[in-house]
Amino acid sequence: MSCRSLADRIDALLPQTQCTKCGYDGCRPYADAIAQGAAPINRCPPGGDDGIAALASLLQTPALPLDLARGEPGPLLVARIDESHCIGCTLCIQACPVDAIVGANKHMHTVLADWCTGCDLCVAPCPVDCIQMIPAGRAWSAQDAAVSRQRHRNHQARVERLAADNTRLMAPEAPAQALPEAAAGDAHSEDRKRSAIESALARARARRNPTQP
């Protein structure tokens, strides 16, 4: 089994909440690290003991106790914005890994509860502490995980595209390239031709319109 296909199978077992509690920037980087033997299987609080057991079975390795230093497992929570206090700073929008928060600069923001993964990454950046995590009242499903994986991919692609656009816009203009020697010679020759033609035309005009004595 190749490392890449193993990472795919590990990623399929992770909850796709993209919470980064494992120490990696999302579920896929964590899956890559496990596949490469660079990370243990017990760093995912949202996956809990069931997630660890599934990974242990896949990898044919003993299950480990959940690393509680990464966070406590628990029921699904979703973010809620107190819209009366929201100042529209967009920091929560930038922090959301699945684009579950909508709004515009200096306008009220709101959370799309069905899209929210409960990662709580939006809470800390809020300068007015108007975001709370509340019980979702439902369990996180395999369908939720599949949809969240794709939303995270779309989010990452958009972020990378915007970064590339900004880099291109901020790049200094390339200096004008010097003409190759042959091209410079051709340009000089064309200048001589143009000058000769202009002189001939001037002489012709002078002959047609001689200066009156």
Side-chain angles (χ1 to χ4, degrees):
M1 183 185 299
S2 71
C3 184
R4 186 67 179 177
S5 63
L6 177 59
D8 288 338
R9 295 177 69 181
I10 294 171
D11 186 57
L13 296 177
L14 295 177
Q16 305 304 316
T17 55
Q18 318 303 340
C19 66
T20 74
K21 289 182 172 64
C22 59
Y24 293 86
D25 190 22
C27 295
R28 181 63 201 212
Y30 181 40
D32 291 338
I34 294 175
Q36 295 162 10
I41 62 175
N42 65 337
R43 289 187 176 182
C44 179
D49 291 335
D50 289 343
I52 293 172
L55 291 171
S57 177
L58 171 65
L59 299 173
Q60 298 182 351
T61 188
L64 299 172
L66 179 64
D67 182 358
L68 296 178
R70 302 286 169 177
E72 298 275 352
L76 177 65
L77 303 177
V78 295
R80 183 178 66 183
I81 297 175
D82 182 347
E83 297 173 354
S84 65
H85 290 89
C86 176
I87 60 173
C89 69
T90 76
L91 293 177
C92 59
I93 292 177
Q94 297 171 44
C96 181
V98 293
D99 296 329
I101 303 177
V102 295
N105 188 35
K106 297 184 180 179
H107 289 77
M108 177 185 68
H109 301 342
T110 192
V111 177
L112 303 176
D114 289 343
W115 290 21
C116 181
T117 69
C119 69
D120 78 18
L121 291 174
C122 60
V123 174
C126 180
V128 293
D129 295 326
C130 70
I131 303 177
Q132 292 182 322
M133 303 302 297
I134 63 172
R138 64 181 184 88
W140 185 254
S141 69
Q143 178 63 23
D144 288 324
V147 172
S148 177
R149 180 187 291 108
Q150 188 57 53
R151 288 189 182 124
H152 183 56
R153 288 174 179 170
N154 294 342
H155 172 84
Q156 291 292 92
R158 179 174 58 81
V159 169
E160 290 170 5
R161 185 172 63 252
L162 289 174
D165 289 344
N166 288 338
T167 299
R168 186 170 58 253
L169 290 172
M170 296 299 292
E173 293 185 6
Q177 297 295 321
L179 290 173
E181 186 176 345
D186 290 344
H188 188 56
S189 178
E190 287 297 322
D191 288 341
R192 289 201 307 268
K193 289 179 182 178
R194 188 178 303 108
S195 179
I197 291 170
E198 290 174 353
S199 295
L201 290 173
R203 290 195 298 271
R205 285 194 294 271
R207 285 196 297 271
R208 286 198 302 271
N209 301 289
T211 302
Q212 296 297 325

